[in-house]
Amino acid sequence: PIGAGLAGLARGQSLVAVGRGDEGIAVLRQARVTAVSIRERVLESDLAFAEGYALVSLGRHREALAPLAEALAIGEELGLDRLL
């Protein structure tokens, strides 16, 4: 299951990078569902950040706020912010 989540992260980011933004965001969101289902919080945070970043890159700034805030909240919850 974690492999599917990681593959979704890579595929989703790649699709966004080649101009297939909506498709890439859909892949990232589905991979995030997988991460939540297996309780893989670090991957969930990575996927939320990737979704937010993709939305920003498409000019969908308001829509990006929720996944970016979620990524930040998970990172703080896990203490990942202390790694910076």
Side-chain angles (χ1 to χ4, degrees), residues 32 43-53 64 66-68 70-71 74:
R32 195 162 157 208
L43 180 58
E44 183 184 348
S45 177
D46 289 344
L47 287 158
F49 179 80
E51 178 186 342
Y53 186 84
L68 291 173
E70 176 123 12
I74 294 169

Side-chain angles (χ1 to χ4, degrees), residues 25-82:
I25 289 167
V27 169
L28 292 168
R29 287 177 176 163
Q30 184 56 48
R32 195 162 157 208
V33 168
T34 299
V36 169
S37 74
I38 62 171
R39 297 183 178 151
E40 181 49 61
R41 300 289 280 159
V42 174
L43 180 58
E44 183 184 348
S45 177
D46 289 344
L47 287 158
F49 179 80
E51 178 186 342
Y53 186 84
L55 289 163
V56 167
S57 75
L58 296 172
R60 293 159 59 180
H61 301 105
R62 288 187 190 271
E63 194 178 344
L65 292 175
L68 291 173
E70 176 123 12
L72 178 61
I74 294 169
E76 289 175 342
E77 173 190 323
L78 298 176
L80 300 175
D81 58 322
R82 287 180 251 144

